[in-house]
Each structure stands twice: as structure tokens, then as C-alpha cells.
Amino acid sequence: MTAAQGSLSRRGLLKLLGLTGGGLAAGGWPWNNAAMAQDPPRASALETFTGPGANPHWNSVGPYLTEPQKVPLILLTDRPVQLETPRHYFRTAFTPNDAFYVRWHLDGIPNRVDLKQWRLQVEGNVKKSLALSFSELTDKFKPVSVAAVNQCSGNSRSRLQPRVPGAQWGNGAMGNALWTGVRLREILDLAGVKSGSLQLQFQGLETGQGPAGFGSNLFLKSLDLANPVVDECIVAYLMNGEPLPMLNGFPVRLVVPGYFATYWTKCLTWIRVLDAPDENYWMKTAYRAPDTPRGNTSPEDVKAGKVKTVPLERFPVRSFLISPDESSKIPAGLGIMLRGIAFSGHGRVNRVEVSDDGGKTWGEATLGEDHGAYSFRTWEAPWKAKSPGRYSLAVRATDEKKNTQPDEAVWNPGGYLWNRIERQELVVGNAS
């Protein structure tokens, strides 16, 4: 994590927000954020697919929907709002704000925040409770920035066999941004954490009816105070140099580098220091995976009650071929450049390999710029098919902790932790 370069002054930030201390509505943004690599919007679903097999498409299947501050994204559900980013937006290391995926848990989400009234409150087992205004966050603390991937815990859930409940995400429930804000640790130091404290609980402005019978009408997530990731967390008020879209957590959200997005609380408004373990539904019951290698188990063991679970934390190493896709035929003998992205929650990706013979042999790709340990890293590799036919290209990544993508599927009832080697079929020449 490094100091933000060219960070905005308070006056500059408020000017960008279009504010003089007033409120900000979802539809009232004063700038046009041009989308990168934007294809023409489509009125229908990408593909048709109902199962029961694994989703064969890169993205999920659903209609395109345009929400405030967003380009057309793929709709999974509207209550709560879940929108997936189409594949072509991953051609670059940073995902445009208006193309960034959206995932809420409850149906009561804010569409307006009045910065005159809003405060970030720090309470609980602290020496001094805080109620920090937006201007205090931008004025009183040194801004820092980190490039980090935000990935939904259920990304690629539609790949699992047998299928499991939950949003049937394709691969687009993820995005990478440069997040700028305040170190969480500095806010805690200002409040003064008392001895005996165990966890930090985070709550945003999201409310509504959660799963029946669980008392889950508030979305609450916690991190152990002793977890080293706390020192990497920031409370972000900028995303790729601009205020966060409402649907991605304006005015601030928690950034937990390397961790699944369930911890990245949107519209963060309360930080509570707890002296006892947090046993609310979203910690004790939801977002847990088997305590096994890769979180893998079987329906039989789940039914027999043999599975011990632990909270999800860091996401595994992954890589994707983004272009070309399967939409067009490639002339035989034409050299093309394969391009994609890779990332890991355990540290920077330092190797990407590509195979065109079913994984029998692998060739190393050239890595793009290193934006940090938790960022997307682009890669490219030249490729040419000398003869017509169908080719299955595979890509795998390795991170600095020597974690390499496996070629085995994973299954658990939550539909989490999928990171199997991805394959893409390309048609060359006159193959039919």
C-alpha cells in the first residue's frame, strides 16, 4: 500500500462530487464516465441455458439491464440487486467503475446519501467513540491507495456440479480498481481499542428481510482484530480516482485486499470493536466453506453431517483468457495474440502459462505491468494454428506463494472457491 499519488484536496474532492455540503442522489452525478472497451448494449440475454449441467458460457445467462451510473450489465436478480460484468470489460487491468459488478444481500439499499448528515461511527470496546464526517476522513488522515480485486464469493458458481442454490454467476462477478482512502488502523488508533477486544464488526446502510428465521435483516461482517489483513484494510472514498458509484458503496466502503467481497462492506457507516465473537447469521451460518483442501466436499458428506466449516477468507489463484473469445472463426496460419488476466488473494501472480494440447505441454505467457500483490495482472502470448480445426486453449496461473491453479473441479454447498483451470475452444480455418 502506497501513498496516493495526486490525491485530491478536500475542495477538489467536493467539487468532483458536485457538492457544497449537501446530499448526493444516485442519478445526480455531474460527470460522464466513459466506459472502456464498451460493446454496443444488447437487449436480450447473452446465451440461453437452463442446466442441469454446468454453465458452458463465460458469463452468466440473463438480460442486460442499465442501472444509474452503470453501463448495461447482466441481471441475475433485482431484489437484492445482482449484476454481472460482461467479459469484454476485463481486457484491461482496471475495471471501469460503470461496468463494475454489483452484489447486495438485502433489498433495502440506499439510493441517496446526505453527506451533511452522514457519519462514520466507531463504537464498542473503544476509549473514545467517533463520528467522523466525510470531510474529516479526507482532511485528517493521509490518503493511501491500493489496487485490489473485489471478487464475489460465488463467482463462477454456475460451474459446479451438481448445481447448488444461489446466484448462478458466470465468471464476471469480479473487478479490479485502484482504491483510495484511509487506513483502517489509523481510524482504530484514533478511537483507542481497549484491551480484551477480539473482533471488528462492520455495517453499512443495507437493510431488509434476509433468510427467514435467522434475524438477518442487517448485513454484518467481522474480522479478527489480530488478523494481519486489518493492517492492509482501507476505508475507501475513491475508486479509480472517482467517487464510488452508489451501487458499489458510496460514500465509503471497506477494502480488504485479497479477501472475498463479503467483507468489503458497502456504504460503511458503523465500525464496532467487539470483546466477544460475532455470531450473527452472516458470520456463523453464511459464507462458510468446508475445512478441507480447496473447500472441497461431496453432497453425501454434507447430508451425513460430516462437514466442518470455516469462514471464507482469501480467494484462490485464478486466470482467464479474455480475447479472443469463441464468437468468430480464426483463419488458419494467422498469428494472433492471446490476452487475459490473472490474480490471487495470496499474493502477486508471477507466472501464467498457456496450453493448446489439453494441458500436455505449457508455454509461458508474458506478464503485464505489476500494479500490486492483489491486482489483476494482464498477460499475453502469441499463438498460431497451422491447420484448420478446433483447439482447446487452457490457461493457468501461479502466485508468489507457489499456489498454482489445479485442473480438478471443486464442490461445496455454498458454491465457493472455484478456481479450476479455464478452457476456451477456438475454431480455426474451415472447421465446422
Side-chain angles (χ1 to χ4, degrees):
M1 196 180 298
T2 60
Q5 296 180 350
S7 58
L8 294 171
S9 65
R10 180 192 173 209
R11 178 177 296 179
L13 181 58
L14 293 180
K15 183 177 180 181
L16 180 61
L17 286 166
L19 298 172
T20 55
L24 184 63
W29 295 77
W31 63 84
N32 251 337
N33 181 21
M36 294 184 289
Q38 180 178 350
D39 285 351
R42 310 183 196 192
S44 59
L46 270 172
E47 306 282 356
T48 57
F49 170 72
T50 57
N55 174 16
H57 308 300
W58 199 93
N59 277 115
S60 61
V61 176
Y64 276 79
L65 178 72
T66 302
E67 290 280 6
Q69 304 171 260
K70 292 292 180 181
V71 298
L73 301 177
I74 302 165
L75 174 67
L76 278 81
T77 63
D78 58 2
R79 286 182 179 271
V81 180
Q82 299 186 86
L83 304 171
E84 183 171 338
T85 302
R87 181 179 188 173
H88 58 271
Y89 287 105
F90 298 104
R91 293 171 183 162
T92 55
F94 292 95
T95 313
N97 289 3
D98 55 4
F100 215 92
Y101 88 102
V102 175
R103 200 281 190 249
W104 294 81
H105 299 83
L106 306 173
D107 59 7
I109 65 175
N111 58 20
R112 183 180 181 88
V113 174
D114 185 347
L115 291 185
K116 288 174 61 178
Q117 303 296 325
W118 177 87
R119 297 291 185 273
L120 175 60
Q121 301 182 59
V122 184
E123 56 193 28
N125 199 38
V126 295
K127 298 175 182 177
K128 178 178 66 174
S129 296
L130 304 177
L132 299 170
S133 67
F134 190 87
S135 61
E136 287 176 314
L137 287 175
T138 60
D139 282 1
K140 290 189 173 183
F141 300 90
K142 182 179 179 180
V144 294
S145 293
V146 61
V149 173
N150 176 290
Q151 180 182 208
C152 179
S153 307
N155 196 26
S156 308
R157 181 179 284 127
S158 62
R159 304 287 187 264
L160 271 70
Q161 285 289 289
R163 298 290 285 274
V164 296
Q168 297 300 301
W169 297 104
N171 293 326
M174 61 180 181
N176 184 50
L178 181 68
W179 309 92
T180 301
V182 179
R183 293 182 189 273
L184 173 61
R185 179 62 72 182
E186 291 189 17
I187 294 174
L188 296 175
D189 288 345
L190 184 62
V193 175
K194 291 183 178 180
S195 61
S197 299
L198 295 178
Q199 289 187 319
L200 302 172
Q201 185 188 71
F202 307 95
Q203 179 186 340
L205 297 177
E206 181 177 9
T207 61
Q209 185 60 51
F214 287 100
S216 54
N217 62 322
L218 298 175
F219 186 70
L220 304 169
K221 292 297 292 187
S222 293
L223 291 170
D224 288 345
L225 188 60
N227 189 331
V229 80
V230 171
D231 290 321
E232 297 186 273
C233 291
I234 67 171
V235 175
Y237 48 72
L238 291 180
M239 178 179 175
N240 290 326
E242 297 181 341
L244 282 65
M246 286 294 306
L247 286 172
N248 293 115
F250 179 86
V252 301
R253 80 177 299 172
L254 184 68
V255 171
V256 188
Y259 273 54
F260 279 113
T262 179
Y263 295 97
W264 293 47
T265 305
K266 295 180 290 294
C267 304
L268 178 64
T269 303
W270 292 274
I271 301 173
R272 300 185 185 93
V273 180
L274 307 180
D275 58 6
D278 185 354
E279 295 192 346
N280 89 86
Y281 166 79
W282 300 103
M283 291 297 297
K284 187 176 181 179
T285 305
Y287 288 110
R288 299 177 70 90
D291 188 15
T292 60
R294 300 182 64 219
N296 197 28
T297 186
S298 67
E300 293 74 23
D301 282 351
V302 171
K303 186 175 181 180
K306 298 179 180 179
V307 179
K308 176 187 175 183
T309 64
V310 292
L312 289 176
E313 291 187 346
R314 295 186 180 273
F315 47 74
V317 61
R318 303 197 70 180
S319 61
F320 297 93
L321 172 66
I322 302 300
S323 64
D325 59 24
E326 74 280 14
S327 63
S328 59
K329 187 180 294 186
I330 299 169
L334 176 67
I336 63 172
M337 188 66 74
L338 308 176
R339 291 185 170 90
I341 55 170
F343 62 98
S344 175
H346 296 275
R348 58 180 36 83
V349 167
N350 55 18
R351 184 180 178 91
V352 172
E353 300 164 284
V354 179
S355 173
D356 65 359
D357 60 6
K360 295 177 184 177
T361 61
W362 296 86
E364 192 163 353
T366 300
L367 296 178
E369 184 176 352
D370 182 357
H371 296 286
Y374 303 113
S375 172
F376 282 161
R377 191 157 192 188
T378 58
W379 61 266
E380 63 180 25
W383 183 75
K384 180 168 64 175
K386 295 180 180 179
S387 59
R390 293 182 180 272
Y391 293 82
S392 179
L393 272 67
V395 57
R396 69 183 182 188
T398 300
D399 65 28
E400 61 185 343
K401 302 290 178 59
K402 302 188 183 305
N403 298 303
T404 299
Q405 283 180 265
D407 201 15
E408 293 81 35
V410 66
W411 189 92
N412 53 69
Y416 304 133
L417 298 165
W418 181 271
N419 75 324
R420 186 179 188 178
I421 290 172
E422 296 286 332
R423 285 176 166 77
Q424 171 69 63
E425 184 175 271
L426 297 180
V427 178
V428 175
N430 57 12
S432 60

